[in-house]
Amino acid sequence: MNSVNTPPATAPRIGSLDVYRGIVMFLLGLRLLELDEVAVHFPDSAIWQFLGHHSSHIPWVGCSLNDLIHPSFAFLTGASLVFSVSARSRKGQSQWHMTLHALWRSVALIFLGIFLRSVDRDMTHWTFDETLTQTGLGYMAVYALAYCGIRTRWIWFGIILTASWLLYACYPIMPPHANPVDFNTPEGWQHDFTGFFAHWNHNRNVGWSFDRWLLNQFPRESPYLGYLGGYTTLNFIPTIATMILGLMAGTWIKRGDQPARQLMVASVACLAFSFVLHFGGICPILKRLWTPAWVFFSGGGCLLILAALYQIIDVRQWRRWSFPFLVVGVNSLAFYVMRHTLDIWFSETLQKHFGSHVFDVFGQELRPVTIGFCTFVAFWLVALWMYRRKIYIRL
């Protein structure tokens, strides 16, 4: 990891990418406010139920705003790779040097994700479903495709999604566990599929079965039985497809041939095809197993957001409103790590020195919101300090 000063003048940054990345970090930071848990205290408030819904993950099928954080992260990794490769080429770096750097970035992302999942545990928590780890596992494949033509990228996009679908569709449907609690099935779980979609049931699918083998090869505090959220290591395969969509988006922007229009058309096509797959009975729109339908649905959402931001920021130059997002967008990795390592410590420190009652100014039910807001502001101010001093943390 190294600190990098301002980007070279010959390679102006695409503002929409930085702002989009910042919006993603804001959504991640809003989790500090625990809006979903606070919303439980206001069951009759449509506003609180809306906020609670979109600040938490959907149990199984569907999507909330919070569910777009991970795919946006993967999508932006692909989009940014286009400009990263171009900038390094202009600096005269050889392809061999760039490949070694990409390999370092891939390995660093994998182990940084494992480190973040191991915080507050008694030993290394070997798991490969964390956002950074998933991105790292697929990074080299996307890096290789950055040097390929458009047709080759789309061919591999199709191969990856088809292979991912076949892995689940060809694996035998499993009956319910005799004792679901022993397989980390959430209490009162009522989201299982029947029929063909049962190939994608919670902790009864090929990804879960693979992890039962893989993750138990590592030292563990207790045997791995299944992840409560239903995520799997194999999710990294279709995540590569999400990054390819980002790679295509970055290429369209770099070429400058009506990129907003291309992004919009691709968005509509992806969203339409996701509904075809879901309602056509091919596979569900399911983030936690990163199904092909989810790749198209979330990818369509990412393309739509980027199209709007590109038109607003890079075409019309309406930038002033975006400064708070830009501050964390250019230092997204630093903000991400702060969010996952210092959040609990900082909130406990605030209460230790100021007392819990200080944060009850809006009522005890809203205490998590007040504490979370203060924590979020503190992290943002650190990012602002880094931004003012042109300190940008990269891998």
Side-chain angles (χ1 to χ4, degrees), residues 305-350:
I305 294 170
L306 183 57
L309 290 174
Y310 180 82
Q311 187 67 25
I312 293 170
I313 294 172
D314 296 304
V315 177
R316 298 190 178 275
Q317 297 290 307
W318 295 340
R319 295 171 176 263
R320 184 171 298 179
W321 65 272
S322 66
F323 179 74
F325 303 107
L326 181 65
V327 167
V328 292
V330 296
N331 255 317
S332 57
L333 185 61
F335 188 87
Y336 188 94
V337 172
M338 283 193 295
R339 161 66 181 84
H340 284 87
T341 57
L342 301 177
D343 54 343
I344 296 176
W345 170 82
F346 192 82
S347 64
E348 290 178 347
T349 300
L350 285 176

Side-chain angles (χ1 to χ4, degrees), residues 8-27:
T10 56
R13 296 184 71 90
I14 303 299
S16 52
L17 292 177
D18 286 329
V19 172
Y20 186 5
R21 197 177 292 110
I23 291 173
V24 172
M25 291 300 104
F26 257 70
L27 290 175

Side-chain angles (χ1 to χ4, degrees), residues 284-311:
I285 297 175
L286 176 52
K287 176 204 171 185
R288 293 173 187 259
L289 294 178
W290 219 275
T291 61
W294 171 256
V295 170
F296 283 107
F297 183 84
S298 60
C302 292
L303 287 162
L304 181 62
I305 294 170
L306 183 57
L309 290 174
Y310 180 82
Q311 187 67 25

Side-chain angles (χ1 to χ4, degrees), residues 99-120:
T99 301
L100 285 178
H101 180 267
L103 182 60
W104 146 250
R105 178 177 290 179
S106 173
V107 173
L109 286 171
I110 291 171
F111 283 98
L112 182 55
I114 293 172
F115 165 77
L116 293 178
R117 280 291 169 87
S118 302
V119 172
D120 296 329

Side-chain angles (χ1 to χ4, degrees), residues 10 15 90-91 139 150 159 174 189 198 215 232 258 265 288 296 323 332:
T10 56
R90 279 195 300 272
K91 292 177 181 178
Y139 189 81
I150 301 298
I159 290 173
M174 301 177 64
W189 183 256
L215 299 182
T232 76
Q258 295 185 313
V265 170
R288 293 173 187 259
F296 283 107
F323 179 74
S332 57

Side-chain angles (χ1 to χ4, degrees), residues 144-164:
L145 288 171
Y147 292 94
C148 298
I150 301 298
R151 184 169 179 269
T152 301
R153 294 177 188 176
W154 284 126
I155 289 173
W156 275 105
F157 178 82
I159 290 173
I160 288 168
L161 290 187
T162 301
S164 175

Side-chain angles (χ1 to χ4, degrees), residues 166-185:
L166 286 172
L167 276 174
Y168 282 84
C170 293
Y171 192 80
I173 292 176
M174 301 177 64
H177 300 302
N179 187 357
V181 176
D182 291 341
F183 295 89
N184 245 351
T185 301

